[in-house]
Coordinates of all heavy atoms in Angstrom, one line a residue:
S23 N 86.6 130.5 -156.1 CA 85.8 129.3 -155.9 C 86.6 128.1 -155.4 O 87.8 128.0 -155.6 CB 85.1 128.9 -157.1 OG 84.2 129.9 -157.7
L24 N 86.0 127.3 -154.6 CA 86.6 126.0 -154.1 C 85.5 125.0 -154.1 O 84.3 125.3 -154.0 CB 87.1 126.2 -152.7 CG 88.4 126.9 -152.5 CD1 88.8 127.0 -151.0 CD2 89.6 126.2 -153.2
R25 N 85.9 123.8 -154.3 CA 85.0 122.7 -154.3 C 85.5 121.6 -153.2 O 86.6 121.0 -153.4 CB 84.9 122.0 -155.6 CG 83.8 120.9 -155.7 CD 84.0 120.0 -156.9 NE 82.8 119.1 -157.1 CZ 83.0 117.9 -157.7 NH1 84.2 117.5 -158.3 NH2 81.9 117.1 -157.8
L26 N 84.7 121.5 -152.2 CA 85.0 120.5 -151.2 C 84.4 119.2 -151.4 O 83.3 119.1 -151.9 CB 84.6 121.0 -149.7 CG 85.0 122.4 -149.4 CD1 84.5 122.8 -148.0 CD2 86.5 122.6 -149.5
S27 N 85.1 118.2 -151.0 CA 84.6 116.8 -151.2 C 84.7 116.1 -149.8 O 85.6 116.3 -149.0 CB 85.4 116.0 -152.2 OG 85.3 116.6 -153.5
C28 N 83.8 115.2 -149.6 CA 83.8 114.4 -148.4 C 83.4 112.9 -148.8 O 82.3 112.7 -149.2 CB 82.9 114.9 -147.3 SG 82.8 113.9 -145.9
A29 N 84.3 112.0 -148.6 CA 84.1 110.6 -149.0 C 83.9 109.8 -147.7 O 84.6 109.8 -146.8 CB 85.2 110.1 -149.9
A30 N 82.8 109.0 -147.7 CA 82.6 108.0 -146.6 C 83.1 106.7 -147.0 O 82.9 106.2 -148.1 CB 81.1 108.0 -146.2
S31 N 83.7 106.0 -146.0 CA 84.2 104.6 -146.2 C 84.0 103.8 -145.0 O 83.7 104.3 -143.9 CB 85.6 104.6 -146.7 OG 86.4 105.2 -145.6
G32 N 84.1 102.5 -145.2 CA 83.9 101.5 -144.0 C 82.6 100.9 -144.1 O 82.1 100.6 -145.3
S33 N 82.1 100.5 -143.0 CA 80.9 99.7 -143.0 C 79.7 100.6 -143.2 O 79.4 101.4 -142.3 CB 80.7 98.9 -141.6 OG 79.5 98.2 -141.6
I34 N 79.1 100.6 -144.4 CA 77.9 101.5 -144.7 C 76.8 100.7 -145.4 O 77.0 100.1 -146.4 CB 78.4 102.6 -145.6 CG1 79.6 103.4 -145.1 CG2 77.3 103.4 -146.1 CD1 80.2 104.4 -145.9
F35 N 75.7 100.7 -144.7 CA 74.5 100.1 -145.4 C 73.8 101.2 -146.1 O 73.4 101.0 -147.3 CB 73.6 99.5 -144.4 CG 72.3 98.9 -144.9 CD1 72.3 97.8 -145.6 CD2 71.1 99.6 -144.8 CE1 71.2 97.2 -146.2 CE2 69.9 99.1 -145.3 CZ 70.0 97.9 -146.0
S36 N 73.6 102.4 -145.5 CA 73.0 103.4 -146.2 C 73.4 104.8 -145.6 O 73.8 104.8 -144.4 CB 71.5 103.3 -146.2 OG 71.0 103.5 -144.9
I37 N 73.4 105.9 -146.4 CA 73.6 107.2 -145.8 C 72.3 108.0 -145.9 O 71.9 108.2 -147.0 CB 74.8 107.9 -146.5 CG1 76.0 107.0 -146.4 CG2 75.0 109.3 -146.1 CD1 77.2 107.5 -147.2
N38 N 71.8 108.5 -144.9 CA 70.5 109.0 -144.8 C 70.6 110.6 -145.1 O 69.7 111.2 -145.7 CB 69.8 108.8 -143.5 CG 69.5 107.4 -143.3 OD1 69.2 106.6 -144.2 ND2 69.7 106.9 -142.0
A39 N 71.7 111.2 -144.7 CA 71.8 112.6 -144.9 C 73.3 113.0 -144.8 O 74.1 112.4 -144.1 CB 71.0 113.4 -143.9
Y40 N 73.6 114.1 -145.5 CA 74.9 114.8 -145.3 C 74.8 116.2 -144.9 O 73.7 116.8 -145.2 CB 75.7 114.7 -146.7 CG 76.1 113.5 -147.2 CD1 75.4 112.8 -148.3 CD2 77.4 112.9 -146.8 CE1 75.9 111.7 -148.8 CE2 77.8 111.7 -147.4 CZ 77.1 111.1 -148.4 OH 77.5 109.9 -148.9
G41 N 75.8 116.7 -144.2 CA 75.8 118.1 -143.9 C 77.2 118.7 -144.0 O 78.1 118.0 -143.8
W42 N 77.3 119.9 -144.3 CA 78.5 120.7 -144.2 C 78.4 121.7 -143.2 O 77.4 122.5 -143.2 CB 78.9 121.4 -145.6 CG 79.4 120.4 -146.6 CD1 78.8 119.8 -147.6 CD2 80.8 119.9 -146.7 NE1 79.7 119.1 -148.4 CE2 80.9 119.1 -147.8 CE3 81.9 120.2 -145.9 CZ2 82.0 118.5 -148.2 CZ3 83.1 119.5 -146.3 CH2 83.2 118.7 -147.4
Y43 N 79.4 121.8 -142.2 CA 79.4 122.7 -141.3 C 80.7 123.5 -141.3 O 81.6 123.1 -141.9 CB 79.3 122.1 -139.9 CG 78.0 121.5 -139.5 CD1 77.6 120.3 -140.1 CD2 77.1 122.1 -138.6 CE1 76.4 119.7 -139.8 CE2 75.9 121.6 -138.3 CZ 75.6 120.3 -138.9 OH 74.3 119.7 -138.7
R44 N 80.8 124.7 -140.6 CA 82.1 125.4 -140.6 C 82.2 126.1 -139.2 O 81.2 126.3 -138.5 CB 82.1 126.4 -141.7 CG 81.2 127.6 -141.5 CD 81.3 128.5 -142.8 NE 80.4 129.7 -142.6 CZ 80.2 130.5 -143.6 NH1 80.8 130.3 -144.8 NH2 79.3 131.5 -143.5
Q45 N 83.4 126.2 -138.8 CA 83.7 126.9 -137.6 C 84.9 127.8 -137.7 O 86.0 127.4 -138.1 CB 84.1 125.8 -136.4 CG 84.2 126.4 -135.1 CD 84.1 125.3 -134.0 OE1 84.4 124.2 -134.3 NE2 83.8 125.8 -132.8
A46 N 84.7 129.1 -137.5 CA 85.7 130.1 -137.5 C 86.2 130.3 -136.1 O 85.6 130.0 -135.1 CB 85.1 131.4 -138.0
P47 N 87.5 130.8 -136.0 CA 88.1 131.0 -134.7 C 87.2 131.9 -133.7 O 86.7 133.0 -134.2 CB 89.4 131.8 -135.0 CG 89.7 131.3 -136.3 CD 88.4 131.2 -137.0
G48 N 86.9 131.4 -132.6 CA 86.1 132.1 -131.6 C 84.7 132.1 -131.8 O 83.9 132.7 -131.1
K49 N 84.2 131.4 -132.8 CA 82.8 131.2 -133.1 C 82.3 129.7 -133.0 O 83.1 128.8 -133.0 CB 82.5 131.8 -134.5 CG 82.8 133.2 -134.7 CD 82.4 133.7 -136.1 CE 82.7 135.1 -136.2 NZ 82.2 135.7 -137.6
Q50 N 81.0 129.6 -132.9 CA 80.4 128.3 -132.8 C 80.4 127.6 -134.2 O 80.3 128.4 -135.2 CB 79.0 128.4 -132.2 CG 79.0 128.8 -130.7 CD 77.6 128.7 -130.0 OE1 76.6 128.9 -130.7 NE2 77.6 128.4 -128.8
R51 N 80.3 126.3 -134.2 CA 80.2 125.6 -135.4 C 78.8 125.8 -135.9 O 77.8 125.8 -135.2 CB 80.4 124.1 -135.2 CG 80.4 123.3 -136.5 CD 80.8 121.9 -136.3 NE 82.1 121.7 -135.7 CZ 82.8 120.7 -135.4 NH1 82.2 119.5 -135.7 NH2 84.0 120.7 -134.9
E52 N 78.6 126.1 -137.2 CA 77.3 126.4 -137.8 C 77.1 125.6 -139.0 O 78.1 125.2 -139.8 CB 77.2 127.9 -138.2 CG 78.2 128.3 -139.3 CD 78.0 129.8 -139.7 OE1 76.9 130.3 -139.3 OE2 78.8 130.4 -140.4
L53 N 75.8 125.3 -139.3 CA 75.5 124.5 -140.5 C 75.6 125.4 -141.7 O 75.0 126.6 -141.7 CB 74.1 124.0 -140.3 CG 73.5 123.2 -141.5 CD1 74.2 122.0 -141.8 CD2 72.0 123.0 -141.3
V54 N 76.2 124.9 -142.7 CA 76.3 125.7 -144.0 C 75.3 125.1 -144.9 O 74.6 125.9 -145.6 CB 77.7 125.6 -144.5 CG1 77.8 126.3 -145.9 CG2 78.7 126.2 -143.6
A55 N 75.2 123.9 -145.2 CA 74.3 123.2 -146.1 C 74.1 121.7 -145.7 O 74.9 121.2 -145.0 CB 74.9 123.2 -147.5
A56 N 72.9 121.3 -146.1 CA 72.6 119.9 -145.8 C 71.7 119.3 -147.1 O 71.1 120.0 -147.7 CB 71.8 119.7 -144.6
I57 N 71.9 118.0 -147.3 CA 71.2 117.3 -148.3 C 70.6 116.1 -147.7 O 71.4 115.3 -147.1 CB 72.1 117.1 -149.6 CG1 71.2 116.5 -150.7 CG2 73.3 116.2 -149.2 CD1 71.9 116.6 -152.0

């Protein structure tokens, strides 16, 4: 198992959605999960 984190910083009024994507060598980037 692994747990990935992604922190947003800077000028932020609101965050409407998040997504996790991945890209393997030779392949297109694909959506893994969204909230």
Side-chain angles (χ1 to χ4, degrees):
S23 299
L24 285 173
R25 188 194 189 207
L26 306 183
S27 300
C28 176
S31 62
S33 180
I34 300 173
F35 178 75
S36 66
I37 300 178
N38 297 322
Y40 290 101
W42 282 101
Y43 293 74
R44 68 186 181 189
Q45 187 167 22
K49 297 183 179 180
Q50 293 185 330
R51 187 174 300 186
E52 64 175 348
L53 176 68
V54 177
I57 186 166

